[in-house]
Amino acid sequence: QVQLVESGGGLVQAGGSLRLSCAASGRTFSTTAMGWFRQAPGKEREFVAAIIWGDSSTVYADSVKGRFSISKDSAKNAVYLKMNSLKPEDTAVYYCAADNANRNHVFLQFSSAYQNWGQGTQVTVSS
């Protein structure tokens, strides 16, 4: 089991930036990829970005490409999401997730690919 704790959410004006962090603990040696998802009120959880632990390759949702950047620190068992040029439609609870099944970029865009989830952190972007 991997425990995930997100931090870094908050209130920001449109056009601003935030950096989310996700700290992993427990059986982190089994992690093969980590991802970020978000869920706005009344909407389904949607994929944001993912990073494969071995080669640091990344994949992004079209809605955040060029604005968000996912990165990792293997020594700290942490993953980050730098969010720039934030828009009101980015408002959501952001969740960190970990996969241990060596999935590729295609499958990592689906929430069902992940076995472990954090509790989420709220991001609110005001217009």
Side-chain angles (χ1 to χ4, degrees), residues 18-119:
L18 279 175
R19 184 188 189 225
L20 305 183
S21 300
C22 175
S25 60
R27 296 174 62 88
T28 56
F29 60 85
S30 64
T31 298
T32 55
M34 292 185 73
W36 286 97
F37 286 74
R38 66 187 183 185
Q39 188 166 18
K43 294 187 177 181
E44 292 188 355
R45 191 170 297 190
E46 65 173 358
F47 170 74
V48 175
I51 186 166
I52 292 180
W53 219 245
D55 62 9
S56 298
S57 59
T58 59
V59 59
Y60 295 92
D62 287 343
S63 59
V64 306
K65 275 181 185 176
R67 299 189 298 124
F68 291 12
S69 177
I70 187 171
S71 61
K72 68 178 180 67
D73 185 331
S74 300
K76 296 182 178 180
N77 291 316
V79 66
Y80 307 98
L81 185 69
K82 181 66 188 300
M83 306 183 294
N84 296 323
S85 302
L86 282 161
K87 305 175 182 180
E89 51 263 45
D90 294 319
T91 295
V93 177
Y94 283 70
Y95 297 91
C96 172
D99 171 46
N100 61 14
N102 218 17
R103 300 179 211 277
N104 63 30
H105 292 147
V106 173
F107 290 100
L108 290 174
Q109 298 178 60
F110 297 93
S111 59
S112 57
Y114 299 84
Q115 299 78 45
N116 302 105
W117 291 83
Q119 82 289 349

